């Protein structure tokens, strides 16, 4: 089947710390992979995506690389800011069909 | 604004009541998705529309759940005879047909069934 497993939170970091949120997936075929972010009081927003193996998605200083050999799509940022405090969701979409599969979300709090 | 809107934002229902949740997608977005997000979980796919056609309803958890989009714009998710396990946030998302991987989410409707 298709599923996403991501690192459980909550995660608390100091400003300017390095961030990694792990995400691994199970899928038939070669899915597209995504990170969505939900800021407090707001709806889900697409943060970045990668559609094939070895692609790197990046946005707002965040990066994630599609690793087929380890079925992973870990989210990283070199220096987090207080404004990055949010819940982050890893997701996949099968190459056929319309369904997205989301992980359970990882809550990040960045303290000054 | 020009984003996806949903109403009501909050709904409290007594067990056994019927509820209707509305989604207004971004104008011109052909694709529309409904998700259910339980507390502490990620969104789970319910159903997908392309214009007025419901092309995928494989995620609807029971026949008490029904969705429609009669004119290819506004969509309504109806839950009949609500149960406590239906309590969740119901999210709507829309996208262009050619860019389905970029979904725009609404703020959600939080449903509490007592």
């Amino acid at each position: 089947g298709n599923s996403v497993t991501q690192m459980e939170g909550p995660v608390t970091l100091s400003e300017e710390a390095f961030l990694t949120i792990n995400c691994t997936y199970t899928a038939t075929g070669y899915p597209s992979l995504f990170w969505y972010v939900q800021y407090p009081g707001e709806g889900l927003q697409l943060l970045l995506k990668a559609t094939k193996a070895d692609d790197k998605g990046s946005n707002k200083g965040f990066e994630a690389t599609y690793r087929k050999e380890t079925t992973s799509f870990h989210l990283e940022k070199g220096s987090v800011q207080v404004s990055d405090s949010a819940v982050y969701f890893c997701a996949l979409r099968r190459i056929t069909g319309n369904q997205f599969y989301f992980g359970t979300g990882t809550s990040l709090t960045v303290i000054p | 604004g020009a984003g996806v809107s949903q109403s009501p934002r909050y709904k409290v229902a007594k067990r056994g009541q019927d509820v209707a949740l509305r989604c207004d997608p971004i104008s011109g977005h052909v694709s529309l998705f409904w998700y259910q997000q339980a507390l502490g979980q990620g969104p789970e796919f319910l159903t997908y529309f392309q214009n007025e056609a419901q092309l995928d309803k494989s995620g609807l958890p029971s026949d008490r759940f029904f969705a429609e989009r009669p004119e290819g714009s506004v969509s309504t998710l109806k839950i009949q005879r609500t149960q406590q396990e239906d309590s969740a946030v119901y999210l709507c998302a829309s996208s262009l047909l050619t860019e389905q991987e970029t979904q725009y989410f609404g703020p959600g409707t939080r449903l509490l069934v007592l």
Side-chain angles (χ1 to χ4, degrees), chain B residues 35-98:
Chain B
Y35 295 87
Q36 180 190 58
Q37 186 175 16
L39 189 63
Q41 302 297 313
E44 291 196 5
F45 171 85
L46 292 176
T47 187
Y48 164 70
F49 288 86
Q50 183 176 311
N51 293 307
E52 68 278 6
Q54 188 174 20
L55 299 185
D56 187 346
K57 54 182 180 179
S58 61
L60 296 177
S62 78
D63 59 8
R64 296 186 296 103
F65 287 71
F66 172 77
E68 60 184 5
R69 194 185 184 196
E71 297 178 1
S73 178
V74 171
S75 178
T76 304
L77 176 68
K78 297 179 180 178
I79 309 173
Q80 297 177 323
R81 304 180 304 281
T82 52
Q83 304 295 313
Q84 285 187 322
E85 62 262 28
D86 300 334
S87 296
V89 176
Y90 290 85
L91 298 171
C92 176
S94 69
S95 71
L96 295 170
L97 184 61
T98 53

Side-chain angles (χ1 to χ4, degrees), chain B residues 7-8 11 18-22 34 76-79 82 109 111:
Chain B
S7 60
K11 177 69 179 178
D18 298 349
V19 297
L21 313 180
R22 177 187 168 106
W34 282 99
T76 304
L77 176 68
K78 297 179 180 178
I79 309 173
T82 52
T109 294
L111 173 65

Side-chain angles (χ1 to χ4, degrees), chain B residues 4 9 23 27-28 30 32 35 62 80 88 94 106 113:
Chain B
V4 177
R9 292 293 311 276
C23 172
S27 178
V30 167
L32 187 145
Y35 295 87
S62 78
Q80 297 177 323
S94 69
V113 181

Side-chain angles (χ1 to χ4, degrees), chain A residues 43-56:
Chain A
L44 281 164
Q45 303 173 27
L46 178 64
L47 180 60
L48 53 84
K49 67 179 181 182
T51 57
K52 60 182 188 297
D54 300 325
D55 267 3
K56 178 186 284 188

